[in-house]
Amino acid sequence: MTSAAVSVRGLTRRFGEVVAVEGLSFEVKTGELFGIVGPDGAGKTTTLRMLAGVMRPSGGDALIRGRSVVSEPEAVKPHIAYMSQRFGLYEDLTVGENIAFYAELYEVPRSVLPGRLERLYEFSQLAPFEGRLAGDLSGGMKQKLGLCCALVHEPDVLLLDEPTFGVDPISRRDLWLIVHDMVARGTTVIVSTAYMEEAERCDRVALMNRGRLVGLDHPRRLHEGLGGEVISVRVSEPRRAVEWLAGVPHVRSAALLGDSMRIMLGDGEEAWSSVRTSLEEQGIAVLEAAPARPSLEDVFVELVERERSGKNPERSGND
Amino acid sequence: MAVSVVRVRHLVRKELKQLLRDPRSRPILFVLPLVQLVLFGYAVNTDVRHIRTAALDHDGTSASRELLEAFAASGYFDIVERPQRPSDIVRSLDRGRVMLGIEIPVGFARDLDAGRGVSIQLLVDGSDSNTATVAGGYALGVVTAFTIQRSGEAGAASRGLVLDARAWFNPSFESRMYNVPAVIGALLMLICLLLTSFSVVREREIGTLDQLRVSPITSTELILGKTIPVMWVGVLDLALITVIATTWFSVPLRGSLVVLAAGGFLFILCGLSIGLLISTVSRTQQEAFLTMYMVFLPALIFSGFFFPIESMPSIFQWISYANPMRYFLEIVRALFLKGAGLAELYPQFAVLAAMAVTGIGLAIRRFERSVA
Ligand SMILES: Nc1ncnc2c1ncn2[C@@H]1O[C@H](COP(=O)(O)OP(=O)(O)OP(=O)(O)O)[C@@H](O)[C@H]1O
Ligand SMILES: [Mg+2]
């Protein structure tokens, strides 16, 4: 159990001028639920496709259970499952036929198949639809069927690309139940998502932005590593307050969230009282203020901010 | 490379299920061949009778008059105009008053009797290329029969009349004898292209191709799984068309059924591999559809289906060497009309076999590359 299930080493992929993934390195332990989080275009899909062996890296490598996806993809294939962002189903085949087809592709033995099907149907709630054409399912059910197809050969490593994108809350919960069940059975899962609250379910998350890794840790420790403080504030004129705060010292960021405002403060005991004074000098009344738990979103925004300010001077020096 | 027979079998089963379930592909399988066969079989042989003909006889001898009577007596030609000048024939053709012009030169009878080569000019209205070809063929047939009869010998060429290179292996002058076998070739090609051109692109478009590529299935297994079902459909269609051609259209199969089946099999493989290549090259189904037509139409035109290859400009003759349909049409026509066997047809078989092997190999290679 010492060796990593997945070991990514300097993985890079270019599309012409665009660097979609740049020098990505991380390790995922066996049985870990590993999240990749990032905004649109961060390079999540590209990373997962390279891990799945359907896209060749421009540089670097990834080892899955010690086997290279670049030099021995055939050795990797039986051990992984990849569910693409838009999982392809044969819409003219039924739910049962779709699952059976994938079971056959991976040569799942007849003796174990009924047991597996029963479990998959139970978690996915798809049993009543076994004879229905996949094309006639709702979006959430299609996604669950995709996951069942990907899981029918019980892979060691499961790669999921935004499995809950555009899925209703109930189906989303079902999908996560299936994922947690797989993890409980020892499967290593790498899942990408753009939803921060989903990332909080993971054992560890990698934060990606513009193809680069900007943070990697347990969700809680990412919060702690932030150093500052987040305060949720209600004020008399929220809009004006947000604009004003952009230039105030100690304020890292301020954003509206419903009718309250989230202010991320820099280090220092005096930070909040000085910001409060500055608001009141502007004639904005502070109605309510309470410390808030920083969300991964806050962490993300902060890390991207740090990376940007850290990189800029270096880059202009190179030009 | 190890091929898992079990996996290929499962893939074949899945493909067959989809083929039979898809309301778009179902009619292609067995209805399209019937409709096409009936269309071609009838359209071509009913309207080519009583061809309106203009005849200009410069010779004015009994021999030349007999020749023109032979034309009229055949039933295929009605001599409706007797112009005085060659330019009148051209004008009548231009205005569509006649379909065919016959011009017999001075000295026709003399040269014929002396055993020297004679030439007759036949002008055919090419705007209806199909009828034109058939009319030209009939005319040559009449002339051949005439010379044979006059000379009392078997070989027309040895005594007098030198025929155009477009020899017509169709003793009864019935166009369907010539066309129905050719329809077999055109149909098999069309079915193979229609069923395979979309097979890989469609999976790319709906996203299942990625799923297949992650699975342990190899490119070879995938290609086999996609071709075997279409091959079966092709073989069944070949049998179906052959039965209808010989019974309904009473076009006798003079050659061997086994040779026909073997040639059909090789030709089907060629069609499949072309379709698969189109499918692996195309990004979308629409692109595949357009590419398919851009391949099928030239394949049909430069195959000898409508007009004999020998009558085409030489550049097109060269193009036709790369066309598998050309070889298959040669095979089916020779089998149906002349009763030829492998002894005469082995060059065509060799070319088709080479094309089939190269095509399937290319499709697999191309597919493997598209994975990267
Ligand atoms: N096939 C391709 N050709 C060219 N550029 C590509 C290709 N695939 C991805 N890219 C580019 O690479 C970058 C990363 O894309 P990727 O799809 O990996 O991001 P993502 O994090 O999955 O985003 P999303 O949330 O939209 O799915 C983007 O700038 C994208 O435009
Ligand atoms: Mg993506």
Side-chain angles (χ1 to χ4, degrees):
Chain A
M1 278 294 154
T2 48
S3 73
V6 178
S7 164
V8 178
R9 299 175 178 174
L11 206 58
T12 301
R13 172 73 202 208
R14 291 181 206 92
F15 294 105
E17 293 284 286
V18 181
V19 186
V21 173
E22 194 176 358
L24 203 61
S25 296
F26 58 80
E27 305 236 309
V28 181
K29 288 189 277 291
T30 303
E32 194 172 27
L33 174 52
F34 188 90
I36 297 181
V37 187
D40 287 355
K44 306 181 293 291
T45 300
T46 309
T47 304
L48 288 171
R49 284 171 65 81
M50 287 191 285
L51 292 182
V54 289
M55 184 180 279
R56 289 192 174 282
S58 318
D61 198 354
L63 305 183
I64 293 188
R65 290 166 45 106
R67 302 298 195 89
S68 157
V69 296
V70 175
S71 57
E72 31 185 1
E74 301 307 320
V76 171
K77 281 178 175 180
H79 302 290
I80 61 168
Y82 165 60
M83 190 176 153
S84 54
Q85 200 159 344
R86 205 168 54 91
F87 187 90
L89 293 166
Y90 295 104
E91 306 217 326
D92 44 3
L93 296 183
T94 65
V95 169
E97 285 168 341
N98 266 286
I99 300 179
F101 175 65
Y102 284 99
E104 285 159 355
L105 271 193
Y106 286 90
E107 299 180 287
V108 176
R110 291 254 159 110
S111 53
V112 302
L113 191 58
R116 281 192 200 174
L117 290 181
E118 198 180 318
R119 230 183 56 221
L120 288 174
Y121 277 136
E122 186 193 326
F123 272 106
S124 63
Q125 320 266 315
L126 282 175
F129 307 104
E130 191 181 351
R132 191 184 281 194
L133 289 184
D136 297 339
L137 296 177
S138 71
M141 287 203 280
K142 277 185 188 165
Q143 208 67 1
K144 285 193 282 187
L145 175 55
L147 190 55
C148 290
C149 291
L151 290 178
V152 74
H153 69 287
E154 301 215 322
D156 298 321
V157 177
L158 175 59
L159 307 168
L160 302 173
D161 194 3
E162 302 200 32
T164 58
F165 184 77
V167 168
D168 67 276
I170 307 285
S171 296
R172 192 183 291 189
R173 194 198 55 204
D174 289 345
L175 281 166
W176 276 105
L177 277 178
I178 303 174
V179 170
H180 283 300
D181 177 62
M182 292 306 293
V183 172
R185 300 166 134 261
T187 310
T188 308
V189 179
I190 301 184
V191 54
S192 84
T193 178
Y195 299 120
M196 294 294 173
E197 72 271 18
E198 286 191 346
E200 314 240 356
R201 294 168 171 268
C202 298
D203 297 327
R204 283 192 306 152
V205 284
L207 302 177
M208 278 186 83
N209 189 47
R210 292 159 176 254
R212 294 166 150 278
L213 194 64
V214 293
L216 171 66
D217 214 331
H218 299 268
R220 184 168 309 136
R221 250 188 265 145
L222 279 172
H223 297 150
E224 288 161 1
L226 213 55
E229 198 185 353
V230 175
I231 298 199
S232 176
V233 187
R234 283 208 315 123
V235 293
S236 55
E237 294 169 79
R239 273 177 200 289
R240 200 156 68 82
V242 167
E243 275 169 33
W244 165 248
L245 285 176
V248 170
H250 300 300
V251 175
R252 281 187 186 152
S253 66
L256 277 179
L257 203 78
D259 60 349
S260 68
M261 195 168 60
R262 281 173 83 85
I263 308 175
M264 191 183 287
L265 298 167
D267 294 327
E269 294 292 306
E270 311 294 274
W272 169 235
S273 59
S274 84
V275 170
R276 182 178 192 135
T277 313
S278 148
L279 278 173
E280 280 163 352
E281 276 169 7
Q282 284 299 305
I284 300 169
V286 176
L287 308 174
E288 215 180 294
R293 185 171 171 273
S295 69
L296 259 186
E297 211 145 344
D298 297 321
V299 178
F300 190 82
V301 170
E302 172 61 19
L303 287 175
V304 169
E305 201 56 47
R306 274 189 208 171
E307 145 128 348
R308 191 177 297 152
S309 53
K311 291 290 174 226
N312 275 347
E314 192 183 306
R315 211 165 264 171
S316 55
N318 283 347
D319 284 348
Chain B
M1 192 184 300
V3 169
S4 156
V5 178
V6 179
R7 256 199 310 259
V8 171
R9 206 166 56 214
H10 288 308
L11 202 59
V12 168
R13 221 174 41 206
K14 176 217 123 200
E15 292 285 326
L16 277 178
K17 235 182 242 171
Q18 288 183 296
L19 272 182
L20 294 175
R21 207 170 279 177
D22 184 356
R24 280 175 310 171
S25 69
R26 233 176 354 205
I28 295 177
L29 303 183
F30 303 108
V31 180
L32 176 88
L34 292 183
V35 172
Q36 298 276 57
L37 187 62
V38 169
L39 272 180
F40 279 112
Y42 279 118
V44 179
N45 77 50
T46 50
D47 47 358
V48 190
R49 278 194 159 262
H50 304 291
I51 299 164
R52 297 168 66 80
T53 306
L56 172 50
D57 183 357
H58 292 294
D59 200 34
T61 57
S62 65
S64 65
R65 274 192 298 274
E66 273 173 41
L67 175 63
L68 289 181
E69 273 159 26
F71 266 93
S74 73
Y76 295 112
F77 304 94
D78 291 344
I79 298 178
V80 293
E81 288 189 16
R82 294 270 184 181
Q84 298 305 311
R85 286 169 303 172
S87 60
D88 291 340
I89 298 185
V90 175
R91 191 173 314 136
S92 292
L93 281 167
D94 281 346
R95 301 209 173 136
R97 289 209 300 263
V98 298
M99 182 85 201
L100 181 75
I102 306 172
E103 197 179 337
I104 303 177
V106 176
F108 171 78
R110 189 187 61 225
D111 289 348
L112 195 63
D113 288 337
R116 283 197 295 270
V118 297
S119 62
I120 301 167
Q121 190 171 22
L122 295 179
L123 294 166
V124 188
D125 177 359
S127 59
D128 178 355
S129 55
N130 213 343
T131 311
T133 317
V134 177
Y138 289 170
L140 283 173
V142 170
V143 175
T144 315
F146 172 76
T147 16
I148 291 172
Q149 187 199 350
R150 283 271 306 190
S151 60
E153 281 178 33
S158 65
R159 174 131 174 93
L161 216 132
V162 181
L163 290 182
D164 196 280
R166 306 184 236 169
W168 213 255
F169 297 114
N170 193 350
S172 64
F173 308 131
E174 274 199 66
S175 62
R176 74 170 160 212
M177 296 293 169
Y178 193 69
N179 283 302
V180 169
V183 172
I184 298 177
L187 271 179
L188 283 184
M189 176 68 107
L190 186 62
I191 288 162
C192 288
L193 288 183
L194 278 175
L195 293 183
T196 48
S197 293
F198 302 106
S199 64
V200 179
V201 218
R202 190 172 50 219
E203 297 224 13
R204 194 199 303 280
E205 262 190 13
I206 61 179
T208 44
L209 193 62
D210 271 354
Q211 244 56 58
L212 291 178
R213 279 157 47 181
V214 183
S215 82
I217 197 165
T218 64
S219 303
T220 312
E221 287 166 0
L222 189 58
I223 297 282
L224 283 176
K226 294 231 164 252
T227 47
I228 292 173
V230 183
M231 215 170 63
W232 277 116
V233 172
V235 170
L236 276 178
D237 277 331
L238 174 62
L240 184 73
I241 303 172
T242 307
V243 167
I244 295 178
T246 49
T247 56
W248 184 265
F249 287 102
S250 5
V251 177
L253 175 60
R254 297 198 173 86
S256 140
L257 195 60
V258 177
V259 177
L260 176 65
F265 181 72
L266 288 179
F267 180 61
I268 289 169
L269 287 184
C270 290
L272 287 178
S273 57
I274 295 174
L276 279 176
L277 273 174
I278 294 174
S279 204
T280 47
V281 171
S282 308
R283 293 268 126 204
T284 61
Q285 293 194 53
Q286 185 147 17
E287 212 180 300
F289 189 74
L290 288 176
T291 317
M292 194 206 88
Y293 267 98
M294 297 212 307
V295 169
F296 179 67
L297 288 182
L300 193 62
I301 292 165
F302 302 124
S303 67
F305 184 87
F306 296 115
F307 1 87
I309 290 172
E310 294 79 6
S311 69
M312 291 177 189
S314 62
I315 167 128
F316 294 133
Q317 295 195 26
W318 280 105
I319 293 177
S320 77
Y321 282 119
N323 183 2
M325 192 157 14
R326 172 205 169 123
Y327 301 99
F328 186 62
L329 291 200
E330 284 171 5
I331 291 174
V332 276
R333 280 178 174 154
L335 279 175
F336 273 90
L337 298 167
K338 293 197 289 185
L342 261 185
E344 298 90 41
L345 292 172
Y346 73 89
Q348 282 87 346
F349 269 83
V351 176
L352 277 189
M355 283 180 164
V357 171
T358 319
I360 298 274
L362 274 178
I364 292 176
R365 275 267 303 284
R366 175 61 232 185
F367 181 73
E368 272 165 355
R369 277 240 303 277
S370 74
V371 170

